[in-house]
Amino acid sequence: MDSHRPSDHYDNDAPEKPIAQPRLGVVGYLRFFWRQLTSMRTALFLLLLLAFAAVPGSLVPQITSDPNGVIQYRAANPGLSKVLDALGVFNTYTSVWFSAIYLLLFISLVGCVIPRTKHHLDALRAQPPKTPARLSRLEGFRATAAAPLDAEGVAGAITAARQLLRRSGYRVRVLSGADGDSVSAERGYLRETGNLVFHAALVGILISVGFGGGFIYTGQKVVVVGQSFTNTLSDYDSISPGRWFNPDALARYSLTLTRFKATYESQNVHAIGSPTDYTAYVTTSENGGAPKKQTIKVNSPLTLGDTQVYLLGNGYAPVVTVKDPKGTVVFSQPVPFLPQDANLTSVGFVKIPDGLAKQIGMIGLFYPTECDPSLCGANLASVHPDLLNPVLALQVYQGNLGLDNGKAVNAFALNTDHLTKIAGFESANKVPGIDLRLGQTKQLPNGLGSVTFSAIPRYASLDIHHDPTQLWALGFAVLVFAGLITGLFVPRRRVWVKAVRRGDDVVIEYAGLARGEDPGLDAAIAEIARKHSQQLGLTMNS
Amino acid sequence: MTAQLVTYSLGAIYSAMVVYAFAFIAFTLDLARRASTRRVEVSVAAPVTVAATTATAGSTAVLDRPDSAAPVTPGPEVPARSRAARLGMSFTIIAWVLHVGGTVLRGVAAGRVPWANMFEFSLTATAIIVGVFLVVQLWQDLRFLGAYVAGFVLIFLGIATTNFYVDVVPLPPALQSGWLVIHVFVASLGTGFYGLGAALSVVQLVQQRRMAKGLRFIASVPDPDRLETMAYRLIVVGFVFWTFTLMAGAIWAEHAWGRYWGWDTKEVWTFIIWTIYAGYIHARATRGWRGSRSATLALIGFGAVLFNFTIVNLFFKGLHSYSGL
């Protein structure tokens, strides 16, 4: 038990045969459980259990990373979903059982690391241990041929060994015993330091993620070219704040999307139309300061105030203008459409509650490049994501949009429960849908008015994050990595050099002891022996 | 120009596969010889006959030795260097040069690093496995793993060229980052080290099983303890690379997706693999777990690596959908 590692650590001696133990009191039992929890076997079990417990979350969609997938999964497997819901599998990584496993693992880790740290701090101040009586039993043992050294010669040999070992980074201690003078040396304390730093830094990551999570917020905003975003709570499309989020503390800035450039491959026949670059050109202003021109790309977010602005998506926002029969404009604005495929076939919803004789809702499909009907048939399809031949196809509904009862309404859906289709496939009055090319105007059915496809700007879908834990997590991750490397690869070893008297002669013996994995021990001792014996002019006894 | 380079690249890969096949045959003969110096076993002897019908004249000549100089004297006095093993090594080196050449040409054709989709990743990762295998030979005779390495790489290249092949296409914006070079390359390095570690663990388990049955170890293959130590050293290096992959991936994810960790399926599996190997390292330090138990963990870990690369890439939904398929 010399390193204060758990009792079942490989480096510790195997336990004696179980002895009849006295009855344990409450404290005894607590101590017993604590020892069990901090044993190597438990840590190993919890590690493997954690790996195993992470699996279901990859098989079933997760609410945090794939909410739509969860909705689809629930619809497809209603029975199973109830069981999974009860078990929290849709939220595996925040579920009670998953948290319990990693918290137990970390308690076990802390319980293991604290006594070791204490022990290591003592070891760092302690002297190397006494030289064992018989070095020949140890690893890498070798000795010089007997040489007639006097007391002064022995002292010189010991001094030389001490200097040699010290220069090689060993902590040294000179001892003199009945069987001869010796140098005891130890090196590689960094191994245990690295090991402890690794484990402590893992705790650091857990704390910075767990505790710092309360200060994080993540918001989304769709910005059409020409529009602006101001970093205030009301201007976000959606926001998920952490526990300690303070809306008054939002950094003061605004940004205007002046241009959005999408570049598509045009040369490579295997990849015509695949995107090669997205760039959002923005003008920003912080704290009401002078406007600055900046860009946001997919892999290079923009830092504004204490937030990062990411370009996570883009699409088209057709400008739809609706006029009443008298020609008065009742609706005219860009409507962001959601892309459905790689060729940016997009879906969007136009809602006109006021201004016309009836409430009007429209479901639009937008095709940036309509396929030639001679190639693709009568159904519209997009064959390229760029605006080569844009068509907007609208299906029109009239009736009650359900906007008046004050409930929050999803902008990317149309509730058709109280609506009648008046234009489009299988509409009540057999009127076909309205297909518009850019700049075209067509009449709405029932003399409701007209609709114009006036312009087709792009939009950028921005994610705005504030995450003060990032740097902490990164710092701890660097420590984890540094600790891992030193903990695994710095050899910790003890080396002894001893002058043993054999009658009138003296033999210098060398040997070592590995503390943990140490493939280079033998070579290291050979090297020390070679240098030392050469320095003294002795020959090695092979 | 690009099309031509792509053709050359594929040609080099196919040639490498042919030479790997020869290497596999030669190494299998060598294994048979190693086993037969103790006691001829039907299962091990079988490849000899297969090889005899398919091998070229050069390697048929090799056949004579195990037959004629065969199992009269059992024991460890088998020469460490056999002609079959030497031939296997030569074939492996030739195949590896072709393999690396084909991979580099692919990168040149694409004008970027050759690991941006599953096909290219397979080329690079297998080249690294063979590369590590060859480099480790310099101070450690690992030729008894030759059949495993050549066979594994041959199968993997076969799957890659037939099932994962994609044309050279430009990088999507999400992959246009310096992290592609670092993150994915280090991941394939880690995969290479894990793969060799798993190979050693397999041999270790075989040796241990023989020991349990009261049989002697396969001559001229290291004993289980030695195998375990070698496997551990390779896996520890793999673990360091894997840890780095995880961290580099987190940094990249923060840049590209706006969060460093989001339990995306690929992130989950990278985490699972990391945890299994962390378990392996702890198992080695736990009394009662050193030996066949930790070796089994190493195999489970590499199984998870393969699962992560194939099943997760192809059938799981997630943000890492860059297989190109």
Side-chain angles (χ1 to χ4, degrees):
Chain A
M1 283 292 292
D2 95 301
S3 64
H4 278 242
R5 289 172 179 271
S7 60
D8 60 342
H9 191 279
Y10 192 83
D11 288 347
N12 288 325
D13 298 331
E16 305 277 315
K17 282 271 172 232
I19 46 169
Q21 287 190 335
R23 279 169 53 86
L24 296 170
V26 177
V27 179
Y29 267 108
L30 284 176
R31 188 171 293 152
F32 171 74
F33 283 124
W34 180 248
R35 285 189 69 121
Q36 289 300 311
L37 184 62
T38 57
S39 73
M40 291 295 289
R41 225 171 291 127
T42 306
L44 178 58
F45 171 74
L46 288 171
L47 262 174
L48 297 179
L49 191 63
L50 185 66
F52 187 70
V55 174
S58 73
L59 304 174
V60 174
Q62 298 294 296
I63 290 173
T64 43
S65 56
D66 184 14
N68 293 328
V70 175
I71 293 168
Q72 284 164 18
Y73 192 92
R74 283 201 173 115
N77 313 284
L80 183 60
S81 295
K82 257 181 215 149
V83 180
L84 295 179
D85 256 328
L87 295 173
V89 178
F90 292 116
N91 265 321
T92 299
Y93 305 107
T94 49
S95 68
V96 178
W97 46 275
F98 191 80
S99 313
I101 296 171
Y102 73 73
L103 286 176
L104 273 176
L105 180 64
F106 272 91
I107 292 171
S108 162
L109 187 158
V110 169
C112 177
V113 162
I114 286 178
R116 270 174 68 184
T117 309
K118 242 188 248 162
H119 177 81
H120 185 54
L121 289 176
D122 291 341
L124 282 176
R125 288 192 298 265
Q127 287 214 311
K130 284 190 176 161
T131 309
R134 259 181 286 174
L135 289 184
S136 53
R137 287 182 168 184
L138 296 165
E139 284 172 69
F141 173 75
R142 41 188 42 86
T144 60
L149 289 180
D150 56 6
E152 205 172 304
V154 168
I158 294 297
T159 311
R162 197 179 69 94
Q163 287 169 345
L164 176 66
L165 285 164
R166 174 163 267 169
R167 268 202 308 275
S168 315
Y170 286 81
R171 177 175 301 181
V172 294
R173 175 182 179 189
V174 176
L175 295 129
S176 52
D179 52 343
D181 293 348
S182 63
V183 179
S184 170
E186 181 158 3
R187 58 149 291 162
Y189 296 86
L190 208 54
R191 185 184 184 89
E192 180 72 352
T193 308
N195 204 320
L196 293 170
V197 165
F198 170 81
H199 286 96
L202 282 179
V203 179
I205 289 183
L206 183 75
I207 290 174
S208 46
V209 170
F211 181 71
F215 298 99
I216 293 175
Y217 65 82
T218 306
Q220 285 77 35
K221 176 70 180 178
V222 165
V223 185
V224 180
V225 171
Q227 288 184 348
S228 297
F229 164 73
T230 311
N231 191 27
T232 55
L233 198 54
S234 59
D235 210 13
Y236 279 98
D237 294 335
S238 61
I239 188 162
S240 38
R243 206 168 310 151
W244 297 295
F245 169 72
N246 175 11
D248 300 326
L250 285 175
R252 276 185 60 222
Y253 65 80
S254 66
L255 67 83
T256 306
L257 183 64
T258 51
R259 189 158 81 94
F260 187 89
K261 193 169 121 244
T263 315
Y264 300 101
E265 178 61 37
S266 58
Q267 304 293 318
N268 186 336
V269 287
H270 300 297
I272 298 281
S274 62
T276 56
D277 184 54
Y278 298 127
T279 308
Y281 296 85
V282 293
T283 308
T284 61
S285 162
E286 285 185 64
N287 296 317
K292 253 198 331 209
K293 285 188 176 174
Q294 288 176 294
T295 59
I296 313 173
K297 280 169 169 281
V298 175
N299 263 306
S300 52
L302 174 66
T303 302
L304 275 178
D306 56 4
T307 69
Q308 259 94 44
V309 184
Y310 299 87
L311 176 61
L312 284 201
N314 67 84
Y316 291 105
V319 177
V320 178
T321 306
V322 176
K323 294 176 182 166
D324 68 10
K326 284 184 237 154
T328 316
V329 174
V330 297
F331 181 95
S332 182
Q333 65 186 60
V335 183
F337 274 41
L338 283 183
Q340 305 294 303
D341 60 23
N343 286 322
L344 293 187
T345 304
S346 310
V347 178
F349 304 90
V350 183
K351 296 170 192 176
I352 302 156
D354 306 306
L356 297 181
K358 291 269 166 63
Q359 287 196 340
I360 291 287
M362 292 190 269
I363 301 177
L365 276 169
F366 176 68
Y367 307 91
T369 301
E370 188 212 345
C371 184
D372 191 324
S374 66
L375 292 172
C376 298
N379 288 331
L380 289 171
S382 177
V383 290
H384 195 283
D386 214 349
L387 293 171
L388 303 180
N389 183 20
V391 171
L392 176 63
L394 296 168
Q395 305 189 49
V396 187
Y397 293 80
Q398 74 173 37
N400 184 356
L401 288 171
L403 299 177
D404 304 330
N405 54 12
K407 268 203 285 185
V409 180
N410 185 351
F412 292 103
L414 183 69
N415 183 351
T416 57
D417 290 353
H418 305 289
L419 294 173
T420 323
K421 196 185 252 192
I422 55 170
F425 181 65
E426 291 189 335
S427 60
N429 45 352
K430 304 263 189 300
V431 176
I434 300 172
D435 294 352
L436 294 168
R437 295 190 180 279
L438 196 55
Q440 249 183 346
T441 301
K442 286 191 177 167
Q443 294 301 309
L444 290 166
N446 304 344
L448 285 164
S450 70
V451 57
T452 309
F453 176 21
S454 342
I456 182 68
R458 282 182 180 262
Y459 70 81
S461 170
L462 302 178
D463 258 44
I464 294 120
H465 292 200
H466 169 68
D467 188 350
T469 67
Q470 260 177 166
L471 275 179
W472 286 95
L474 180 67
F476 282 121
V478 169
L479 282 179
V480 164
F481 194 67
L484 181 68
I485 288 182
T486 47
L488 285 176
F489 299 124
V490 171
R492 181 155 190 195
R493 54 175 73 126
R494 288 177 181 164
V495 172
W496 292 281
V497 179
K498 191 171 183 181
V500 183
R501 191 153 284 286
R502 292 271 159 76
D504 289 342
D505 289 343
V506 168
V507 169
I508 311 281
E509 294 182 342
Y510 310 87
L513 178 69
R515 306 193 66 201
E517 188 80 16
D518 186 0
L521 179 63
D522 194 67
I525 293 169
E527 181 66 10
I528 287 164
R530 189 185 62 77
K531 279 190 188 160
H532 188 242
S533 57
Q534 270 179 4
Q535 199 179 335
L536 298 177
L538 301 171
T539 47
M540 289 305 292
N541 203 358
S542 51
Chain B
M1 182 61 186
T2 300
Q4 197 140 37
L5 285 174
V6 168
T7 318
Y8 289 153
S9 156
L10 257 184
I13 296 296
Y14 284 135
S15 316
M17 287 167 66
V18 172
V19 188
Y20 277 132
F22 285 132
F24 176 69
I25 292 166
F27 279 129
T28 312
L29 289 175
D30 176 55
L31 273 190
R33 181 192 58 87
R34 285 169 196 265
S36 67
T37 44
R38 287 213 54 262
R39 212 182 59 195
V40 182
E41 276 173 350
V42 187
S43 58
V44 194
V48 179
T49 43
V50 176
T53 51
T54 51
T56 58
S59 46
T60 328
V62 178
L63 272 179
D64 299 333
R65 260 176 75 109
D67 286 346
S68 54
V72 202
T73 47
E77 63 265 26
V78 196
R81 302 189 157 273
S82 81
R83 212 196 288 176
R86 270 209 311 274
L87 212 57
M89 283 308 290
S90 312
F91 280 137
T92 307
I93 291 169
I94 296 169
W96 187 65
V97 169
L98 286 165
H99 186 168
V100 170
T103 310
V104 170
L105 276 179
R106 172 81 186 190
V108 174
R112 55 169 161 71
V113 289
W115 49 79
N117 52 50
M118 268 182 93
F119 170 67
E120 294 171 2
F121 186 92
S122 304
L123 297 189
T124 304
T126 46
I128 285 172
I129 290 184
V130 181
V132 173
F133 170 71
L134 291 176
V135 169
V136 173
Q137 302 291 337
L138 294 179
W139 61 88
Q140 180 69 57
D141 183 3
L142 282 185
R143 285 175 302 169
F144 60 91
L145 284 186
Y148 168 94
V149 171
F152 179 84
V153 168
L154 183 58
I155 291 173
F156 227 93
L157 285 179
I159 295 174
T161 44
T162 48
N163 295 329
F164 301 160
Y165 185 78
V166 286
D167 292 305
V168 168
V169 296
L171 284 181
L175 287 186
Q176 294 169 13
S177 163
W179 288 107
L180 174 69
V181 182
I182 301 164
H183 168 67
V184 186
F185 182 70
V186 176
S188 47
L189 266 178
T191 306
F193 277 87
Y194 281 160
L196 279 180
L200 285 164
S201 299
V202 170
V203 182
Q204 179 197 341
L205 287 174
V206 170
Q207 290 281 57
Q208 243 150 14
R209 181 143 308 167
R210 290 176 72 94
M211 189 167 70
K213 280 190 194 150
L215 295 169
R216 286 173 54 190
F217 300 140
I218 301 175
S220 79
V221 171
D223 62 74
D225 283 350
R226 179 91 193 105
L227 286 166
E228 183 171 350
T229 311
M230 290 195 283
Y232 175 75
R233 284 178 198 153
L234 285 174
I235 289 175
V236 160
V237 176
F239 185 71
V240 169
F241 286 136
W242 201 258
T243 308
F244 184 84
T245 303
L246 199 70
M247 290 173 180
I251 298 172
W252 189 8
E254 196 279 321
H255 272 263
W257 302 326
R259 84 288 181 293
Y260 51 82
W261 194 261
W263 297 106
D264 172 58
T265 44
K266 202 72 189 231
E267 291 171 349
V268 171
W269 275 94
T270 306
F271 169 79
I272 290 172
I273 292 163
W274 190 85
T275 313
I276 294 175
Y277 278 108
Y280 167 82
I281 290 174
H282 282 83
R284 283 260 314 164
T286 307
R287 203 175 307 115
W289 275 78
R290 202 170 269 212
S292 53
R293 283 187 179 179
S294 68
T296 310
L297 269 184
L299 291 186
I300 294 175
F302 191 59
V305 170
L306 290 181
F307 184 86
N308 188 28
F309 178 61
T310 53
I311 309 292
V312 174
N313 271 9
L314 295 173
F315 301 110
F316 285 29
K317 207 172 132 187
L319 290 166
H320 280 82
S321 47
Y322 303 125
S323 68
L325 299 171

